[in-house]
Amino acid sequence: MRPTPVSDDKWEHAVQQATENVTHIETLNRTSNQRGNSWSLPIPDGTYSRTPTWTSRTHWQHQVRTLLNSPTGTKLCTNHTTSTEAVYAVAVIHASLAESATGRSVTASRETIARRAGVSTSTVKRARRVLTALGVAVELVRGRYLSRLEAMAAESHHGHRQFRAASTWALTTPRPVATTVTPPFTKPRKPSRATLRTNAYRFRITARNHPQSGHRDPLSPSGGFALKALAFKISPTRTQARAGKTTHQPITTPRPIHLQRAAAELIAHAPALKPAGHIGTICDRLQQSGIDTTRWAGRDIARQLTTDTQQRGWTWPNYIPRPSAFLHWRLTHIDWAPTTPTERNDEHNRTRRADQLTRHAELRARDERAASEATRTEAVRTFRSASTPMAGLLPA
């Protein structure tokens, strides 16, 4: 059966329709400001102008918490059969998905918000009703099934099929809420040492270049004399620094690295000996016991303590109130002169490696002897086979 031929008019109309659809899809994706891995419904013109933005993410969450704790918020939660904690959890997830500058473009589905907030989908619906009643959230577009061109635009945006789009929400801060709810108290940051040094330097330079102010009395304490700067200059610490002396003298010499490593390994293999304070107490106990930590690793010390405990018929206590004292008492009752388990293991490995090398040498020599005998036998056989035809040519 031959296909029905298409007229030129129908073909031109189809091409024109396809071109218009592509142009419409590109315009739709460009004007709707799509972002993320899902396609959101376009916002009607003028909707954003009627919807105020939030002050900030932190302030909005504080405002929601304050409104929920008020009698109005508690009554709304009771009327919608939900709790203030569930509503606040849903609000926090909405805030995390919104644009940081405006609080808009919350396009996640109810299932996604419910999964992140740890609540059910019905709880998300009730929480949204409470937030809408409080005036801190506005549904800009209701979610629905996509049209044919919208589905094509969604596939052009993220590359996979999409048949539905979630609602688009905006988080707002109405004027009454902004004027009524005070912002959260923020503790002033303590200036850093660099900031203090910079301020002192600027104050010292200013006092040196401008010792007197034009509108103050020269003898006034605030006239510009850098009393603090002068006291800072003549302080003993600054004098020692100018003389080339070190202002911070080390109190003690640092502990050897092998001693610190042995203490750390000991605590790792014997957690009951972990001190409540600094690990340096364990280092001091190991050093006082006379243990050579260049030979005895922390794992070997823990193994030796376990062996000594088993030989004495003891058991490790579950709780040790004074780990460092207990460790010192145990270490003084053990002889640390013999070889360590690591040394014995290394000696065993060296002996085994030497035996393996000797065995390999014997096998290699045997293979060489066998190869030489086989080569000699083959050479004799070849010579005999080559000399057999020439036997008839020799005179009798």
Side-chain angles (χ1 to χ4, degrees):
M1 183 177 179
R2 295 181 179 180
T4 304
V6 181
S7 61
D8 295 340
D9 295 338
K10 292 183 179 179
W11 176 258
E12 293 179 358
H13 178 71
V15 172
Q16 182 181 2
Q17 188 67 27
T19 305
E20 292 178 357
N21 291 340
V22 171
T23 305
H24 180 69
I25 290 173
E26 293 178 352
T27 305
L28 186 62
N29 286 338
R30 184 175 60 256
T31 57
S32 57
N33 192 21
Q34 299 294 330
R35 65 189 184 98
N37 296 326
S38 62
W39 195 84
S40 58
L41 296 172
I43 306 300
D45 296 337
T47 304
Y48 281 144
S49 61
R50 298 188 300 269
T51 306
T53 60
W54 66 4
T55 52
S56 67
R57 180 176 285 108
T58 305
H59 289 177
W60 185 84
Q61 294 179 6
H62 174 71
Q63 293 162 4
V64 171
R65 168 57 72 182
T66 304
L67 293 176
L68 289 176
N69 291 333
S70 64
T72 304
T74 306
K75 185 178 180 180
L76 285 173
C77 292
T78 303
N79 295 338
H80 291 87
T81 63
T82 184
S83 63
T84 57
E85 296 299 330
V87 176
Y88 186 71
V90 174
V92 169
I93 299 302
H94 279 74
S96 65
L97 298 173
E99 293 181 352
S100 58
T102 60
R104 299 168 178 172
S105 300
V106 182
T107 59
S109 62
R110 294 191 297 263
E111 291 75 13
T112 302
I113 295 176
R115 184 177 66 256
R116 294 189 180 184
V119 297
S120 61
T121 307
S122 60
T123 303
V124 175
K125 296 179 183 178
R126 293 192 293 268
R128 282 181 167 179
R129 297 191 189 104
V130 174
L131 295 177
T132 303
L134 292 175
V136 294
V138 178
E139 186 181 24
L140 303 179
V141 179
R142 177 65 61 88
R144 57 174 174 80
Y145 282 94
L146 301 180
S147 62
R148 183 175 60 88
L149 287 179
E150 290 174 345
M152 295 172 63
E155 188 173 359
S156 174
H157 169 64
H158 49 63
H160 56 269
R161 304 288 296 277
Q162 180 179 346
F163 302 100
R164 296 189 62 181
S167 301
T168 302
W169 286 76
L171 310 181
T172 64
T173 300
R175 184 179 297 275
V177 176
T179 56
T180 304
V181 180
T182 58
F185 173 75
T186 56
K187 185 178 179 180
R189 294 182 57 185
K190 183 179 179 180
S192 61
R193 296 177 60 184
T195 304
L196 295 177
R197 288 196 299 268
T198 302
N199 295 337
Y201 173 76
R202 291 176 178 176
F203 181 70
R204 187 166 63 253
I205 294 300
T206 303
R208 187 180 350 179
N209 297 336
H210 306 281
Q212 298 181 1
S213 176
H215 59 278
R216 295 182 183 271
D217 185 35
L219 300 180
S220 175
S222 59
F225 290 102
L227 300 180
K228 293 184 179 180
L230 293 175
F232 183 69
K233 288 181 180 179
I234 63 176
S235 63
T237 305
R238 298 290 296 178
T239 304
Q240 294 178 2
R242 288 193 297 270
K245 298 181 180 180
T246 305
T247 56
H248 300 284
Q249 296 291 342
I251 301 176
T252 58
T253 57
R255 298 181 177 89
I257 188 63
H258 54 81
L259 177 62
Q260 302 180 31
R261 187 181 295 110
E265 291 183 358
L266 175 60
I267 293 176
H269 290 82
L273 298 176
K274 184 176 182 180
H278 197 269
I279 195 176
T281 56
I282 302 299
C283 297
D284 297 339
R285 296 304 181 184
L286 294 177
Q287 198 169 17
Q288 293 171 4
S289 302
I291 301 177
D292 188 3
T293 52
T294 58
R295 297 176 51 245
W296 287 89
R299 179 178 58 184
D300 297 337
I301 297 174
R303 187 181 303 173
Q304 191 69 13
L305 287 172
T306 303
T307 303
D308 182 73
T309 302
Q310 294 174 353
Q311 292 177 354
R312 296 176 184 270
W314 297 347
T315 57
W316 276 94
N318 296 328
Y319 172 70
I320 302 177
R322 299 174 60 190
S324 59
F326 176 80
L327 177 62
H328 180 69
W329 174 72
R330 291 298 312 275
L331 295 178
T332 54
H333 291 78
I334 299 177
D335 184 15
W336 303 100
T339 57
T340 66
T342 302
E343 294 174 346
R344 291 195 296 269
N345 189 23
D346 295 341
E347 182 64 26
H348 174 71
N349 291 336
R350 285 193 296 269
T351 304
R352 183 167 56 86
R353 193 176 300 109
D355 295 341
Q356 291 176 354
L357 294 177
T358 304
R359 180 60 177 169
H360 291 164
E362 294 177 355
L363 294 176
R364 190 180 305 107
R366 187 188 64 181
D367 294 340
E368 292 177 355
R369 289 194 301 269
S372 61
E373 293 177 359
T375 303
R376 185 169 58 255
T377 304
E378 184 65 24
V380 171
R381 186 183 301 110
T382 304
F383 176 76
R384 288 177 179 177
S385 62
S387 60
T388 300
M390 299 178 61
L393 300 178
L394 296 175

